[in-house]
Amino acid sequence: MSISKKMREQMQRSSWIRRMFEDAERIKKERGADAVFDLSLGNPIEEPPSRFLESMRSAAHDAASGTHRYMSNAGYQQTRAAVARLVSQEQGVQLSENHVIMSCGAAGALNVVLKAILDPSDEVIILAPFFVEYIFYIDNHNGVAKVVESDDAFQPDPGRLAEAITDRTRAVIINSPNNPTGVVYSGSLMREVAKVLKDASQRHGHEIYLISDDVYRHIVYDDTPLAAVFTEYPSSIIVTSFSKDLGLAGERIGYIAISPAVGELEALFSACVTATRILGFVNAPALMQRSILACLDARVDMDLYRHNRQVLCEGLTRGGFRVVEPMGAFYIFPQCPEPDDVACCAALRDKGVIVVPGSGFGRPGHIRLAYSVERQTAVKAAAVLAEYGR
Amino acid sequence: MSISKKMREQMQRSSWIRRMFEDAERIKKERGADAVFDLSLGNPIEEPPSRFLESMRSAAHDAASGTHRYMSNAGYQQTRAAVARLVSQEQGVQLSENHVIMSCGAAGALNVVLKAILDPSDEVIILAPFFVEYIFYIDNHNGVAKVVESDDAFQPDPGRLAEAITDRTRAVIINSPNNPTGVVYSGSLMREVAKVLKDASQRHGHEIYLISDDVYRHIVYDDTPLAAVFTEYPSSIIVTSFSKDLGLAGERIGYIAISPAVGELEALFSACVTATRILGFVNAPALMQRSILACLDARVDMDLYRHNRQVLCEGLTRGGFRVVEPMGAFYIFPQCPEPDDVACCAALRDKGVIVVPGSGFGRPGHIRLAYSVERQTAVKAAAVLAEYGR
């Protein structure tokens, strides 16, 4: 009874993931790291762009006093205003600093928003396959995660969504480009989703929020168009980070942007600021808020991701996997030749390729490959995958 | 119903604090900022020491790849090992990196520990007067805060503590040097507290944790000795930050140190690492973890604090306030000449001195002064205070 019962259960439930990682580590030791191709981790591998590094170095040399002190819990006014200009451009809706709260990454942002809006037993809908951490985030704030299946192409299913909404539904979380599938949600389906939510909000007499996890927004291939949630649906909130597009996952910097059309904007903004404070984030790291200011439009180089996506999709297809070609992010979520995804992962591991079973993302029979890896790792893994079904 | 009922209540309960700050802002505008002496905020004013700034700049120029990526949720092994050496020295107990988890400040650290140990309705004892945020942190994780009064000198009262412990008590939070009182807990009383907790742990058949919030540990006057909780009590956990002693409040860097003598060390460590991940902190900011590495023993200059403490204590005493002289931190918590602390704050505000009523810290009849301010601010505020009772 040294730790909480719930924490013990959560740790036990995820113990198979730990075992999997331990198996991978063991194999790396046995065969040498060069003979093992690890596609299990979504850790952005590209270095931050040089414009960011210059900006960070100049911020570190800033001799003005007070630059490392507390600021407003919402973040520096100047950084929030710059983010507001960026989001205004991307969403086609005019925002000011009064719609933006700087956060400790998207994970921090999402916890803050859920803390702000959830009462005990309120329901939050997530679309399977999903980013596993959503379930923990919702549970942190006494919410209940309700899983709605996406269709075979991993697109949202407005009909199933409508059926899942109850009087307790407070929010729907979407993630496009998606982890684990790499899919970008189609504009026409997003309009249908918005219509479902508008109707349901009216029917139940309260706003149902659409929370859009936009962390992969700037990692998109072939000019695939992205829906602008603020244009589609008034009660929407964007949570995101600079982890992926500036390669800053370890620095914990992101933001919350609230649609100006949301009901009770001021209350929601204040609740997010209060949640930032009382959850212990207090504010997003000061130096990073100043570092990103000059390079919000800088991006990591996509060539590596584009290359890896192509060779892995080809390898998978040749190996008998059914592939929905990813349009963004750095993940592929193919269906295995056999129904048992855990067995498939074990077999691949024995051939030196480490991937994660789809069961962990709420969709068995699939595996997730993360291709934020060196070119040679992708090429060699693709060769193993191409032989898989033979 | 745009935000949660609880959040709305919490915001309403603290609306009087907001009104107070708004009044102060109004007065600053009316009279000019120079005519108003704001002692309301505990924002460390001293700049980080030059050794830290050099270390941070060198970390920012480090051209090694991967330095901004995710690392282990517990933090860099090297930083944790260095912190372990520091804590080993200070506590007289041998720690390794397996006892240390880097955190987003002490606020992040405390939320992580509470998430790791609390089941719903578990009780956490705090000593009044207390740092108000503790109540939110405990509530975040469905715990119940139980307030135990300290004595007239703001020292812990082992008898009252023993009476307050129930079968649901999971932890006691202490803070020495203390916010809001500036008091350092005496070694002999800490030994008595430890004895109470040992007896109660045995009686109730489970460990009661002593969580020591050490954020002001390195801001101590007149060589006042500090108790070493790891030496006094086996089930103790330190939460702290570099906000005060390195002047880095805005950068969100701190740590959790777990006593090696704690029961089920490995489970508690893993639970804290998991809580760091699922609460959305993910890890302490990477650049700051590397920046503090070379200067864990650097400290802010104390001359300013020492000066301000003296002039304000003198002014308060002359003005009819009863002062318990602070031994650490940068707060004074005097008893007002009149019983109504809110009226006292309003009267002082009208004379241009902004302070916070003791009611907000669970002890009416007192006010809190934060003296992390410029020398001239302290001198002028002291002159106003000296005239107060006349």
Side-chain angles (χ1 to χ4, degrees), chain A residues 1-2 4-5 45 47 57 60 66 68-69 115-116 119 133 140 142 170 209 250-251 277-278 286-287, chain B residues 1-2 4-5 45 47 57 60 66 68-69 115-116 119 133 140 142 170 209 250-251 277-278 286-287:
Chain A
M1 223 191 101
S2 67
S4 82
K5 287 187 199 73
I45 196 183
E47 289 300 307
R57 284 161 193 165
H68 302 286
R69 292 184 202 160
K115 172 80 180 171
D119 277 308
E133 303 292 89
N140 284 341
N142 301 312
R170 291 294 286 140
Y209 292 110
E251 302 295 358
R277 197 193 87 219
I278 70 182
L287 184 75
Chain B
M1 223 191 103
S2 67
S4 82
K5 287 188 199 73
I45 195 183
E47 290 300 307
R57 284 161 193 165
H68 301 286
R69 291 183 203 162
K115 172 79 180 173
D119 277 307
E133 303 292 88
N140 284 340
N142 301 312
R170 291 294 286 139
Y209 292 111
E251 302 295 359
R277 197 193 87 219
I278 70 181
L287 185 75

Side-chain angles (χ1 to χ4, degrees), chain B residues 84-95 212 214 217 226-233 236-238 255 257 259-260:
Chain B
R85 284 192 294 275
L86 173 77
V87 179
S88 300
Q89 267 172 27
E90 293 184 342
Q91 296 288 322
V93 169
Q94 201 58 38
L95 275 76
S212 185
D214 278 12
R217 181 174 189 88
L226 283 171
V229 290
F230 283 7
T231 311
E232 299 298 344
Y233 185 63
S236 49
I237 303 169
I238 291 171
Y255 61 85
S259 162

Side-chain angles (χ1 to χ4, degrees), chain A residues 227-247:
Chain A
V229 289
F230 283 7
T231 310
E232 298 298 344
Y233 185 63
S235 306
S236 50
I237 302 169
I238 290 171
V239 293
T240 191
S241 78
F242 299 95
S243 296
K244 323 295 175 184
D245 40 346
L246 291 183

Side-chain angles (χ1 to χ4, degrees), chain A residues 1-8 10-11 14 42-48 52-53 56-57 59-71 104-105 107-109 111-112 114-120 122 133 136-137 139-142 167-168 170 205-207 209 243-244 247-252 263-264 266-272 274-275 277-288 290 374, chain B residues 1-8 10-11 14 42-48 52-53 56-57 59-71 104-105 107-109 111-112 114-119 122 133 136-137 139-142 167-168 170 205-207 209 243-244 247-252 263-264 266-272 274-275 277-290 374:
Chain A
M1 223 191 101
S2 67
I3 63 173
S4 82
K5 287 187 199 73
K6 181 184 268 184
M7 185 59 80
R8 201 177 290 271
Q10 286 174 334
M11 284 163 57
S14 53
N43 196 350
I45 196 183
E46 288 288 31
E47 289 300 307
F52 168 81
L53 294 173
M56 177 187 66
R57 284 161 193 165
H61 282 278
D62 185 350
S65 72
T67 55
H68 302 286
R69 292 184 202 160
Y70 290 126
M71 81 288 314
C104 294
N111 272 281
V112 163
L114 293 171
K115 172 80 180 171
I117 64 172
L118 291 185
D119 277 308
D122 278 351
E133 303 292 89
F136 293 106
Y137 301 166
D139 182 76
N140 284 341
H141 310 292
N142 301 312
D167 204 38
R168 296 310 304 256
R170 291 294 286 140
H206 69 259
E207 274 183 296
Y209 292 110
S243 296
K244 323 295 175 184
L248 293 179
E251 302 295 358
R252 314 311 303 137
E264 290 197 272
E266 213 179 308
L268 182 58
F269 182 88
S270 299
C272 287
T274 302
R277 197 193 87 219
I278 70 182
L279 287 175
F281 296 108
V282 183
N283 56 248
L287 184 75
M288 286 299 141
R290 293 186 293 121
E374 302 294 347
Chain B
M1 223 191 103
S2 67
I3 63 173
S4 82
K5 287 188 199 73
K6 181 184 268 184
M7 184 59 80
R8 202 178 290 271
Q10 286 175 335
M11 284 163 58
S14 53
N43 196 349
I45 195 183
E46 288 288 30
E47 290 300 307
F52 168 81
L53 295 174
M56 177 187 65
R57 284 161 193 165
H61 282 278
D62 185 350
S65 72
T67 56
H68 301 286
R69 291 183 203 162
Y70 291 126
M71 80 289 313
C104 293
N111 272 281
V112 163
L114 293 170
K115 172 79 180 173
I117 64 172
L118 291 185
D119 277 307
D122 278 351
E133 303 292 88
F136 293 106
Y137 300 166
D139 182 75
N140 284 340
H141 311 291
N142 301 312
D167 205 38
R168 296 309 304 254
R170 291 294 286 139
H206 69 259
E207 274 183 296
Y209 292 111
S243 296
K244 323 296 176 184
L248 293 179
E251 302 295 359
R252 314 312 303 137
E264 289 197 272
E266 212 179 309
L268 182 58
F269 182 88
S270 299
C272 287
T274 302
R277 197 193 87 219
I278 70 181
L279 287 176
F281 296 108
V282 183
N283 56 248
L287 185 75
M288 286 300 141
Q289 287 195 51
R290 293 185 292 122
E374 302 293 348

Side-chain angles (χ1 to χ4, degrees), chain A residues 111-149:
Chain A
N111 272 281
V112 163
V113 170
L114 293 171
K115 172 80 180 171
I117 64 172
L118 291 185
D119 277 308
S121 306
D122 278 351
E123 295 169 0
V124 179
I125 292 176
I126 58 177
L127 309 184
F130 47 74
F131 179 51
V132 192
E133 303 292 89
Y134 291 157
I135 295 189
F136 293 106
Y137 301 166
I138 294 164
D139 182 76
N140 284 341
H141 310 292
N142 301 312
V144 177
K146 299 264 280 190
V147 177
V148 170
E149 293 295 324

